[in-house]
Amino acid sequence: MTTICGYQQTIGLNINLKRNKYCLQQRIKTKTSISFFLKNHNQKELAVNIHYFSFMTDVEIEKENAAIAKEYKELLRISYRTLSNDDKKLIRKAFDVSVDAHKDQRRKSGEAYIFHPIAVAKIVASEIGMDATSIAAALLHDVVEDNDEYTITDIERIFGEAVARIVDGLTKISALKKDMDVSMQAENFRKMLLTLNDDVRVIIIKIADRLHNMQTMDAMRPDKQVKIASETLYIYAPLAHRIGLYNIKTELEDLGLKYTEPEVYNDILTKIKESKEQQDAYIKEINSILKKSLNKEHLKYKIKGRPKSIYSIRRKMIKQGVSFDEVYDKFAVRIIYKSDLENEKFLAWKIYSIVTDHFRPNPIRLRDWISSPKSTGYEALHITVMGPKGRWVEVQIRSERMNEIAEKGYAAHYKYKQGKDTEDSLDEWVNKLQEALENPEMNAVDFVEQFKLNLYSKEIFVFTPKGDLKSLPKGATPLDFAFSIHTEVGMKTRGAKVNGKLVPLSHELQSGDQVDILTSENSKPNSNWLDYATTARARSKIKSSLKEETKIIATEGKEILRRKLKQLKITLNERAINELVKYFKLKTSLDLFYRVGINAIDNKMLKEFAASRSNVFVSFIKNKIRKPSNAPDLDKDEITSKYDMLVFGKEEEKLNYKLSNCCNPIPGDAVFGFLTINEGIKVHKKNCPNALSLQSNYAYRIMPAKWIDSSQQEFRAVISMIGIDNLGLVNEVTKVISGSMHVNIKNISFETDHGMFSGKITVVVKNNNLVEKLMNRIKKINGIEKVSRV
């Protein structure tokens, strides 16, 4: 018998572990050793002694050890996948290390800590259906964090690179600070989400870890319960949804509601229990009606009732503004049939036909996810029918294979991928999730919000001109479609046709639309595109392009500034740049160069700067304070946005407004305007507690609003022209405006009368100086007599 780090075993599994210092130190506490028995992979008896340093009695410890043995044996028994002998050896080894690492730990409830990693491993093995590597990593997920004796190097030496990589990812997530402000919390979520790039199994085990923590939170302080539950609803439930773990997502949402709104949760739970008998009778009635017809077709099937989750009932009550009794579809009927892969689709529609023979279907509530599966892999036919007693009921038709995918997500998906290696099949899944991580450099709060948007978005299916099917989030526009085809297609988009008709780029696509993107080599993204694009991929590509364009303008602006300062007898050096940045209240040198490039800082403003600089007293002070501690970061490679102006409506008008006290919006927040009766426009945050009520009851008084950087604002200017009519004049005018000055034309109209012409052109410019330049250029065109601004 050998002793390994605090416990003895009669049959060794060649586990090369370093001796734990706790084995060598004498403790004042009572040291008790009780044996319990486990069967190893060869069904041999394995005696394990675990030493607990506690004041528990021998009987209590014996009982606890027996419970641990039972949980371990159940872990192997309930695994969704068939485990080989090597798999069982790996899991056993992980169990031994986990037992040793956590032997002195207790959870807040008082139970031995080892129960937690075993429970997480059981969720990973049974409910999610992952492989032996994942089960071993789940058992070890807290080992490095909670025990100084084990390092990632030790884990890699004992278990190999794959397990070590997952445990390392989980340790990094756990090491993130727990108490922080919103932006820091978002930053930590970002770090966690970016582990998808290393190994997606890190996220899966983290979801299992969070589920078990949510199931065992009763012993925690109420404030901790609310914090953890809020985090769960914010990011973990949407993640589980995206991965296709619908059962886990439902449980996370219900437990989240249990701790964030306990009274509401308990009220709905009580009412569901009270109405269960009634629901069972209703499902039995539907079953008896369908049974005869289904049996006649010799189908092998089972009919189940699936109650809606407490969270989804609560969401429906809020959305529809109804009470519990007024929510009619509190459950769905699920028909699960046996079929080979070849006949699955045929049998699904056959069952659909039988159901609709008996119950009248709602034609607009048919969802065919067999022909076009969801991006999570979910397949089923959903129909809503008028059931007995005049009640609408959702009927879900699935094969056993489809049901497994719905229950286990991608784990079941792998099972049915014939002849493919499990590790390779992870790639498809990772790619889908990583589409939401297109731009990890963006602001952390925006990053997490954008990621959430992608996780929970419903899907639509549209066709390419060649008839290929594309899946996009609901609310997607032709611009999102263009970027989903290829980045270059998106970047060169000039327009779009939907079902053969030209549509604006802001047009919302619907399922079944056929989309044709019109491209041009001269087209490039502009800031308005961010108002049209909804997917993370499209938005990140547009932002990157705009960022590059502003840097090019900034480079040109630096040369313009050098020339202008030379005329004012000022040398462009670090000191001058520092003074200019401070004088114009900017943040970076790139801000300065960019604003010179777009002429937001003109000659007049630079002369005023030169005059202030030449003041002897000011110069003396500035010489004394060459570069104060709060000097701007001149070398920072970014152009910042000041968000110093609020504009309203599509025309981005400047109007008088007041900031509402209920949500206290600040510059940069996502906001909307609400037209009040006595106080004019009041500005609310989009996530204001009153937002839902105002938008649903007073939609006609809502005004779109957004914060912008005043230096980036674009204005419409109307230029009027009179002159002598000659061939090609209009072409020359438009060439000057769009060709040489790169100004967008919004509207153009010309009239001729006996050799004379008059015309009006509406252009979009960033400032007044550009309009003056434009008018001077137009005046030089042969035949133009008079140019004025309307």
Side-chain angles (χ1 to χ4, degrees):
M1 182 179 283
T2 56
T3 301
I4 297 176
C5 301
Y7 61 88
Q8 298 170 340
Q9 65 181 51
T10 52
I11 298 169
L13 291 175
N14 299 319
I15 307 171
N16 183 20
L17 304 178
K18 64 167 72 173
R19 288 184 65 82
N20 192 314
K21 67 182 177 185
Y22 295 119
C23 304
L24 308 174
Q25 293 175 348
Q26 289 187 335
R27 293 295 180 121
I28 297 168
K29 296 176 184 177
T30 306
K31 179 176 176 181
T32 316
S33 166
I34 300 292
S35 295
F36 65 93
F37 294 92
L38 298 168
K39 285 187 179 178
N40 73 355
H41 56 282
N42 293 320
Q43 300 299 308
K44 292 176 184 173
E45 291 295 319
L46 195 63
V48 178
N49 265 343
I50 295 186
H51 303 296
Y52 287 109
F53 301 105
S54 67
F55 294 105
M56 291 171 70
T57 65
D58 288 0
V59 175
E60 285 171 334
I61 291 175
E62 191 172 354
K63 258 175 106 176
E64 193 170 75
N65 288 345
I68 293 168
K70 187 182 174 187
E71 288 295 308
Y72 174 75
K73 283 189 280 186
E74 192 179 349
L75 167 65
L76 297 179
R77 185 176 58 79
I78 64 173
S79 174
Y80 173 70
R81 300 195 184 194
T82 305
L83 298 172
S84 66
N85 284 343
D86 286 343
D87 289 341
K88 288 176 182 175
K89 280 181 185 177
L90 179 71
I91 294 166
R92 173 63 209 219
K93 213 190 292 185
F95 172 72
D96 289 342
V97 171
S98 190
V99 165
D100 177 51
H102 299 302
K103 66 181 180 295
D104 292 332
Q105 278 183 280
R106 296 260 148 197
R107 299 194 84 201
K108 282 199 167 63
S109 60
E111 71 173 6
Y113 194 87
I114 186 64
F115 284 108
H116 171 64
I118 295 173
V120 173
K122 281 169 75 176
I123 293 167
V124 167
S126 174
E127 292 186 49
I128 304 177
M130 296 304 286
D131 56 6
T133 302
S134 304
I135 297 168
L139 285 166
L140 299 164
H141 78 272
D142 280 336
V143 164
V144 175
E145 185 196 352
D146 292 347
N147 193 302
D148 295 337
E149 288 300 306
Y150 291 101
T151 65
I152 289 297
T153 310
D154 295 329
I155 300 296
E156 188 169 350
R157 179 168 47 79
I158 300 165
F159 299 98
E161 192 269 332
V163 173
R165 186 176 64 243
I166 298 168
V167 173
D168 189 34
L170 289 159
T171 306
K172 282 174 186 169
I173 293 170
S174 298
L176 300 173
K177 290 180 185 175
K178 299 291 187 283
D179 300 311
M180 60 203 70
D181 61 21
V182 175
S183 59
M184 275 298 290
Q185 185 76 311
E187 184 60 43
N188 284 349
F189 281 135
R190 168 160 74 172
K191 285 176 186 169
M192 183 188 83
L193 297 172
L194 288 174
T195 59
L196 282 170
N197 294 319
D198 301 327
D199 196 318
V200 75
R201 290 173 291 190
V202 174
I203 296 289
I204 296 167
I205 296 167
K206 189 63 193 169
I207 289 171
D209 179 34
R210 178 51 62 111
L211 176 62
H212 186 247
N213 283 335
M214 289 292 290
Q215 290 167 340
T216 55
M217 266 207 314
D218 291 339
M220 283 190 177
R221 296 198 318 262
D223 60 314
K224 289 275 273 182
Q225 289 175 344
V226 171
K227 182 179 177 292
I228 292 167
S230 301
E231 275 179 12
T232 301
L233 292 173
Y234 181 70
I235 203 82
Y236 291 101
L239 264 172
H241 172 88
R242 177 69 177 183
I243 292 165
L245 303 171
Y246 297 114
N247 289 352
I248 287 178
K249 168 234 173 186
T250 298
E251 192 175 348
L252 286 173
E253 285 179 337
D254 281 358
L255 289 167
L257 187 67
K258 178 183 175 182
Y259 291 106
T260 53
E261 297 182 71
E263 289 175 12
V264 171
Y265 173 86
N266 290 321
D267 183 48
I268 295 172
L269 182 64
T270 305
K271 286 174 178 171
I272 286 173
K273 284 177 181 173
E274 286 169 359
S275 61
K276 190 181 183 304
E277 202 176 304
Q278 186 186 340
Q279 283 181 18
D280 289 346
Y282 193 82
I283 291 160
K284 207 171 180 181
E285 191 176 346
I286 291 173
N287 199 340
S288 61
I289 294 167
L290 294 175
K291 204 171 180 181
K292 193 178 177 184
S293 300
L294 291 167
N295 290 343
K296 198 177 175 184
E297 297 295 333
H298 306 293
L299 293 164
K300 291 181 179 176
Y301 67 93
K302 52 189 173 195
I303 298 176
K304 290 180 178 179
R306 182 191 69 86
K308 282 265 200 304
S309 71
I310 296 171
Y311 186 83
S312 66
I313 291 172
R314 167 67 171 160
R315 193 168 51 204
K316 198 156 272 194
M317 286 164 65
I318 293 169
K319 195 175 176 183
Q320 297 175 358
V322 294
S323 66
F324 176 85
D325 296 325
E326 291 170 302
V327 176
Y328 290 112
D329 52 344
K330 294 190 206 58
F331 62 92
V333 173
R334 191 173 285 163
I335 301 172
I336 300 163
Y337 62 94
K338 204 176 185 72
S339 170
D340 56 27
L341 203 59
E342 204 176 311
N343 292 307
E344 259 187 349
K345 196 172 181 180
F346 167 72
L347 290 178
W349 286 105
K350 194 173 192 176
I351 293 167
Y352 167 84
S353 178
I354 292 167
V355 171
T356 53
D357 282 347
H358 290 282
F359 305 112
R360 182 166 57 82
N362 184 337
I364 62 167
R365 294 289 297 161
L366 169 64
R367 300 285 180 268
D368 177 10
W369 283 306
I370 294 177
S371 303
S372 306
K374 288 186 178 183
S375 57
T376 55
Y378 180 81
E379 294 174 75
L381 264 186
H382 285 204
I383 47 171
T384 302
V385 298
M386 183 62 76
K389 300 172 187 170
R391 286 170 64 180
W392 289 111
V393 184
E394 186 182 63
V395 179
Q396 300 171 358
I397 301 167
R398 300 175 181 170
S399 69
E400 288 179 343
R401 179 191 68 83
M402 295 173 196
N403 192 56
E404 273 192 85
I405 289 171
E407 302 280 321
K408 299 282 187 289
Y410 273 82
H413 209 53
Y414 306 148
K415 182 180 170 182
Y416 292 98
K417 276 183 177 275
Q418 296 298 318
K420 283 198 178 181
D421 183 57
T422 303
E423 293 292 323
D424 292 340
S425 57
L426 273 167
D427 294 344
E428 184 186 341
W429 182 10
V430 173
N431 289 342
K432 283 189 181 297
L433 281 168
Q434 282 177 343
E435 275 185 18
L437 301 172
E438 280 285 345
N439 192 6
E441 287 83 27
M442 71 164 75
N443 169 285
V445 177
D446 292 346
F447 175 88
V448 175
E449 283 300 329
Q450 194 64 50
F451 187 76
K452 275 194 71 204
L453 191 71
N454 284 344
L455 289 175
Y456 255 156
S457 56
K458 292 183 178 178
E459 288 176 305
I460 60 166
F461 297 93
V462 295
F463 294 93
T464 67
K466 290 182 180 177
D468 296 328
L469 198 64
K470 277 272 173 191
S471 163
L472 289 169
K474 189 172 170 55
T477 64
L479 214 46
D480 296 311
F481 175 83
F483 278 100
S484 76
I485 298 292
H486 196 279
T487 300
E488 280 305 304
V489 175
M491 292 294 192
K492 302 293 181 189
T493 298
R494 185 168 62 92
K497 283 184 177 181
V498 173
N499 305 324
K501 291 181 181 176
L502 270 173
V503 295
L505 293 178
S506 57
H507 175 83
E508 189 174 319
L509 298 175
Q510 304 297 326
S511 273
D513 282 347
Q514 188 168 34
V515 188
D516 187 8
I517 299 297
L518 310 174
T519 59
S520 165
E521 283 303 312
N522 298 323
S523 291
K524 58 182 179 181
N526 62 58
S527 55
N528 290 332
W529 283 21
L530 291 171
D531 294 333
Y532 313 147
T534 61
T535 60
R537 179 183 176 82
R539 291 181 67 81
S540 68
K541 298 294 181 191
I542 293 164
K543 282 179 180 176
S544 296
S545 172
L546 293 174
K547 197 174 178 183
E548 282 308 306
E549 193 183 339
T550 52
K551 282 187 179 178
I552 292 166
I553 294 170
T555 306
E556 292 170 358
K558 187 175 183 179
E559 289 310 308
I560 294 167
L561 183 62
R562 193 186 303 280
R563 289 198 305 270
K564 288 185 176 181
L565 288 181
K566 195 175 180 182
Q567 291 170 3
L568 297 168
K569 295 183 172 51
I570 299 172
T571 306
L572 185 68
N573 53 26
E574 188 178 335
R575 180 184 162 197
I577 292 169
N578 191 20
E579 289 175 7
L580 280 159
V581 168
K582 287 197 74 183
Y583 179 81
F584 290 110
K585 295 183 174 66
L586 302 172
K587 290 185 181 175
T588 69
S589 56
L590 269 182
D591 285 340
L592 172 70
F593 303 146
Y594 175 70
R595 281 159 176 77
V596 172
I598 61 169
N599 217 18
I601 297 175
D602 58 15
N603 288 341
K604 187 186 171 192
M605 294 161 81
L606 288 171
K607 281 176 184 173
E608 286 169 0
F609 161 74
S612 73
R613 194 175 187 261
S614 64
N615 181 299
V616 179
F617 178 70
V618 173
S619 295
F620 173 76
I621 295 295
K622 285 187 177 177
N623 285 333
K624 282 282 185 187
I625 312 166
R626 280 295 175 98
K627 192 170 182 181
S629 58
N630 64 345
D633 187 352
L634 295 176
D635 301 321
K636 199 168 183 185
D637 186 27
E638 68 172 295
I639 293 167
T640 58
S641 292
K642 288 196 289 185
Y643 293 120
D644 57 352
M645 184 183 289
L646 191 60
V647 291
F648 296 87
K650 283 187 179 179
E651 301 300 319
E652 297 191 358
E653 295 176 88
K654 285 192 283 181
L655 302 169
N656 291 329
Y657 63 87
K658 287 182 182 176
L659 298 175
S660 63
N661 295 325
C662 52
C663 55
N664 297 313
I666 60 169
D669 284 340
V671 292
F672 66 90
F674 179 70
L675 197 58
T676 63
I677 295 168
N678 299 320
E679 297 181 86
I681 299 169
K682 290 202 95 171
V683 176
H684 295 260
K685 288 203 286 195
K686 282 189 177 173
N687 60 356
C688 169
N690 299 318
L692 197 65
S693 166
L694 294 174
Q695 287 165 343
S696 55
N697 297 321
Y698 305 101
Y700 60 95
R701 284 158 65 180
I702 300 291
M703 294 182 75
K706 65 177 178 180
W707 292 100
I708 63 164
D709 182 341
S710 57
S711 68
Q712 310 285 330
Q713 191 186 20
E714 294 181 326
F715 302 90
R716 285 175 183 242
V718 181
I719 298 170
S720 172
M721 289 162 287
I722 296 171
I724 299 162
D725 188 21
N726 61 49
L727 197 64
L729 186 69
V730 175
N731 185 39
E732 279 195 65
V733 171
T734 53
K735 199 185 284 184
V736 163
I737 296 170
S738 293
S740 42
M741 295 202 66
H742 308 293
V743 173
N744 280 337
I745 299 173
K746 280 286 180 186
N747 201 349
I748 185 166
S749 64
F750 282 94
E751 286 180 9
T752 59
D753 184 22
H754 300 94
M756 293 287 291
F757 91 92
S758 62
K760 280 184 183 176
I761 294 181
T762 306
V763 292
V764 177
V765 292
K766 278 197 162 52
N767 53 57
N768 187 46
N769 294 330
L770 210 53
V771 182
E772 294 295 327
K773 268 190 187 178
L774 201 55
M775 287 166 66
N776 289 333
R777 291 267 186 103
I778 294 168
K779 279 176 190 172
K780 291 175 184 174
I781 296 170
N782 188 30
I784 301 285
E785 291 294 317
K786 187 182 175 187
V787 181
S788 59
R789 187 171 170 188
V790 177

